[in-house]
Amino acid sequence: MKVEIWSDFVCPFCYLGKTKFEKALESFSDKENVEIVYKSFELDPNASKSYKGTMSELISKKYGITIEEAQANNKRITNQAKEVGLVYNLEKAIPVNTFYSHRLFQYAKQLGKDNEVVRLLFEAYFTDSKNISDINTLVEISKAAGLEEETVREILNSEKYTDAVRQDEKEAQIIGVTGVPFFVIDGKYSISGAQPIEIFKKALEKALDK
């Protein structure tokens, strides 16, 4: 069974959804035969590579709400993350362009290191408040995953793996993905958003029965 997951590394619900799906998978009867395929999706391809304001300021401006409302929203999401064992520091997060992160992920995917790099990118952004558009930061993340520093630096300073990112995004467009996380289970069932663990469990069992 193949499970495709479209996500972006600055999307709080993507990290939540990934974690909830993994928890659902733990008790799935056929978990040993599940192949997880991560896919690239950029929520804001025009985002800057650096951002000096806070997450609350960005959300306030983007959605036309007050700073206090944005902070309350961040707190709710942080509490949801805590419930599944994740640590979010949203007020310190640096909302940036994720294109370089996706190119790093696509390279890691070729080496079978995509699961580890995806986890490290989410952790770097949401827990450690790192700029995941910065090449030096991405090199450090790749080293932690066992990737070769010189090769990663050369890739990120080029246009390599751009086509792989664009192909995933094109696929998302074709099947009508407008928001992430978006899960396609065995080409039969789709789930949008960080749904409850039970929803993922039921979808997996249903796909297995078909």
Side-chain angles (χ1 to χ4, degrees):
M1 182 186 298
K2 181 165 75 172
V3 179
E4 297 166 290
I5 308 174
W6 277 265
S7 56
D8 197 4
F9 302 115
V10 294
C11 165
F13 299 106
C14 290
Y15 197 10
L16 264 174
K18 171 185 180 296
T19 304
K20 288 182 177 182
F21 174 77
E22 288 169 348
K23 288 187 178 297
L25 195 59
E26 287 172 7
S27 59
F28 180 49
S29 59
D30 199 40
K31 64 181 177 182
E32 302 302 325
N33 293 314
V34 174
E35 176 194 8
I36 298 175
V37 180
Y38 291 103
K39 301 273 191 173
S40 293
F41 190 99
E42 294 172 274
L43 284 171
D44 184 3
N46 299 313
S48 170
K49 289 182 183 178
S50 62
Y51 185 75
K52 301 301 181 185
T54 66
M55 177 70 79
S56 291
E57 288 170 346
L58 179 70
I59 292 172
S60 172
K61 185 177 179 181
K62 184 176 181 179
Y63 296 106
I65 59 177
T66 66
I67 293 290
E68 290 73 23
E69 287 171 329
Q71 289 172 337
N73 186 54
N74 284 342
K75 190 173 182 179
R76 280 193 296 273
I77 296 171
T78 298
N79 288 336
Q80 289 178 42
K82 191 176 180 180
E83 288 174 3
V84 292
L86 300 178
V87 178
Y88 277 16
N89 291 306
L90 294 180
E91 289 302 318
K92 294 180 180 179
I94 307 170
V96 290
N97 190 290
T98 55
F99 182 55
Y100 279 31
S101 293
H102 282 291
R103 288 199 297 122
L104 170 61
F105 148 68
Q106 293 289 349
Y107 167 60
K109 194 174 183 177
Q110 283 208 335
L111 302 179
K113 296 276 190 177
D114 45 325
N115 286 352
E116 183 68 0
V117 167
V118 166
R119 182 186 67 79
L120 289 168
L121 284 166
F122 275 129
E123 192 175 278
Y125 182 76
F126 288 104
T127 305
D128 301 331
S129 310
K130 293 183 178 178
N131 181 340
I132 60 168
S133 192
D134 175 72
I135 288 178
N136 289 330
T137 298
L138 293 173
V139 166
E140 289 304 310
I141 289 170
S142 66
K143 283 167 64 179
L147 301 181
E148 207 279 319
E149 176 180 348
E150 207 170 292
T151 303
V152 170
R153 199 175 288 279
E154 186 265 326
I155 287 168
L156 294 177
N157 278 304
S158 71
E159 296 297 318
K160 290 180 179 179
Y161 295 96
T162 293
D163 288 347
V165 175
R166 298 296 176 237
Q167 179 60 36
D168 281 356
E169 293 174 337
K170 184 179 179 182
E171 286 178 28
Q173 192 174 26
I174 289 170
I175 65 174
V177 180
T178 56
V180 286
F182 193 87
F183 302 77
V184 175
I185 300 177
D186 216 26
K188 301 169 185 173
Y189 303 104
S190 62
I191 298 175
S192 181
Q195 299 294 333
I197 295 168
E198 276 303 316
I199 297 293
F200 288 118
K201 282 183 181 178
K202 287 176 182 177
L204 285 167
E205 294 294 349
K206 199 172 180 182
L208 182 63
D209 290 341
K210 291 294 182 181

